[in-house]
Amino acid sequence: MLLELAQWLEQHIRAFNVFNYLTLRAVLACLTSLVISFIVGPGLIRKLAAYKIGQAVRDDGPQTHLIKAGTPTMGGALILVSIIVTTLLWADLSNRFVWVVLCVTIGFGAIGWIDDYRKVVHRNPKGLSAKAKFFWQSVIGLGAALFIAHSTNLPAQTEFIVPFFKQVAYPLGVIGFVVMTYFVIVGTSNAVNLTDGLDGLAIMPTVMVGSALGIFAYVAGNAVFAKYLGFPFIPGAGELTVICGAIAGAGLAFLWFNAYPAEVFMGDVGALALGAALGTIAVIVRQEIVLFIMGGVFVVETLSVMLQVASFKLTGRRIFRMAPLHHHYELKGWKENQVVVRFWIITMMLVLIGLSTLKLR
């Protein structure tokens, strides 16, 4: 909206031309979502507390978590509002990629909202059933995959790109591309959700990975940079830089309230939506493996759950003291802040490795 206004004003005042620059709009999007979250956040937390929408804590978890029972949850709604409003303000709303990312984010956020609402308001510990949750995730994921596949114009835009190698890419075809896109979106969404178990643990890696994906989106959407760095040029992908900026700003503001000891928890409404958004952006800019690298913490947390379940069912023994992995380290004696900050440091290193693929090819 503001972009259209600036373009109209540009006809009369040349200085408004600066708003056509993606980099400026990405920075403004980050600041706008930050401000929106800071303004709306305290009131939303009070409302959630007043409605007694509090977090339930598992009895078999670390005993230090019992004091968190009743902390307001569903705070991810604050993140979604900030991202959506900011994107509508600063992004080019004629861009098809902007809308597919927004729709996926809202769709997965709605699934998480229903799940959270049933758990904390209706006191239903199961929330939305696993089958229903997976069904609706699949519907949205497949819909997005088909739309993105239909939006591609060149074979290179559906190739599976291997980082660190300039000429290594595997053609997937439409069906292969749709299947891969589906798994990336749904898988990333659930991986972020599994990671969201400690104060600030999931949101900061999301901010870092989202910011890095913004750089990849900018490169993929710029014909000159894409050609120079050996990336497929994807017209319109650069506009996703604005959404990445909004994710970073909203995430940092949420961390203000979610840092230990948390005033509010993200809940499935935020974790599922943010993970799906990251997965969708990564697919559009053709950086699925890079997302796998940068989001290594999300990957390891998910694998720890899968291995724990498989081991217990097959042998009756547990590999970890508790899954996901962050609880294992807590039960080993690490304090919550230690686990969180160390996982942040690991994510920072992985993001730098991912960014190195821009040039090391």
Side-chain angles (χ1 to χ4, degrees):
M1 297 178 184
L2 293 180
L3 174 60
E4 292 179 0
L5 176 62
Q7 289 174 338
W8 180 80
L9 290 173
E10 180 190 347
Q11 301 173 11
H12 309 282
I13 306 174
R14 188 171 178 79
F16 282 93
N17 178 56
V18 296
F19 291 100
N20 288 318
Y21 292 101
L22 271 173
T23 48
L24 175 62
R25 285 191 287 120
V27 171
L28 291 174
C30 181
L31 293 174
T32 302
S33 60
L34 195 74
V35 171
I36 291 174
S37 296
F38 278 142
I39 293 174
V40 177
L44 177 63
I45 294 172
R46 285 195 297 270
K47 284 286 184 184
L48 293 174
Y51 288 127
K52 298 182 179 179
I53 302 180
Q55 177 72 34
V57 178
R58 53 194 287 190
D59 332 353
D60 59 342
Q63 294 300 302
T64 54
H65 286 208
L66 296 178
I67 60 172
K68 299 184 180 187
T71 301
T73 187
M74 299 174 74
L78 171 64
I79 301 174
L80 293 189
V81 169
S82 300
I83 292 173
I84 293 167
V85 172
T86 299
T87 301
L88 293 177
L89 287 175
W90 291 113
D92 178 2
L93 300 183
S94 65
N95 186 292
R96 64 192 186 280
F97 293 136
V98 168
W99 283 109
V100 71
V101 173
L102 274 182
C103 288
V104 168
T105 304
I106 294 170
F108 275 77
I111 295 171
W113 174 272
I114 295 171
D115 188 39
D116 285 337
Y117 192 82
R118 290 186 179 182
K119 288 178 181 176
V120 300
V121 177
H122 292 171
R123 305 300 177 186
N124 179 355
K126 294 183 178 179
L128 190 63
S129 70
K131 288 183 179 179
K133 187 185 296 186
F134 181 69
F135 171 77
W136 288 112
Q137 286 179 331
S138 297
V139 169
I140 299 170
L142 283 174
L146 290 169
F147 180 86
I148 297 171
H150 178 72
S151 300
T152 56
N153 302 313
L154 302 173
Q157 294 174 2
T158 57
E159 289 181 339
F160 187 65
I161 298 174
V162 179
F164 299 110
F165 298 96
K166 188 173 292 187
Q167 303 299 331
V168 180
Y170 299 97
L172 296 172
V174 175
I175 296 178
F177 179 80
V178 168
V179 171
M180 182 202 64
T181 299
Y182 163 77
F183 279 110
V184 171
I185 294 175
V186 175
T188 308
S189 175
N190 287 293
V192 173
N193 193 34
L194 286 172
T195 306
D196 184 34
L198 299 179
D199 299 351
L201 179 58
I203 192 62
M204 192 60 187
T206 299
V207 168
M208 289 189 277
V209 174
S211 301
L213 284 175
I215 297 174
F216 283 100
Y218 184 79
V219 169
N222 187 294
V224 177
F225 289 158
K227 182 179 180 181
Y228 174 69
L229 294 172
F231 283 78
F233 170 53
I234 304 171
E239 202 65 31
L240 297 180
T241 308
V242 176
I243 296 184
C244 290
I247 291 174
L252 287 174
F254 182 76
L255 181 61
W256 182 274
F257 306 109
N258 187 234
Y260 181 85
E263 299 176 50
V264 65
F265 296 138
M266 192 189 308
D268 287 6
V269 60
L272 290 178
L274 288 174
L278 294 180
T280 307
I281 294 169
V283 167
I284 293 173
V285 301
R286 313 305 309 116
Q287 298 300 322
E288 300 86 2
I289 294 183
V290 171
L291 173 64
F292 185 86
I293 294 171
M294 297 192 300
V297 165
F298 302 140
V299 174
V300 171
E301 292 270 47
T302 305
L303 288 176
S304 70
V305 174
M306 295 170 65
L307 291 172
Q308 185 86 322
V309 172
S311 175
F312 188 75
K313 285 187 175 181
L314 294 174
T315 67
R317 296 180 179 179
R318 292 181 173 85
I319 300 175
F320 307 101
R321 296 189 179 185
M322 188 177 180
L325 190 62
H326 54 262
H327 289 318
H328 169 77
Y329 284 108
E330 279 192 290
L331 294 177
K332 283 189 67 175
W334 290 19
K335 295 189 181 301
E336 181 171 346
N337 276 347
Q338 288 179 307
V339 178
V340 171
V341 174
R342 286 170 181 174
F343 277 36
W344 286 358
I345 293 170
I346 292 170
T347 300
M348 175 61 75
M349 292 188 293
L350 293 174
V351 166
L352 292 175
I353 292 172
L355 287 173
S356 71
T357 63
L358 285 166
K359 192 62 181 173
L360 298 179
R361 301 168 67 83

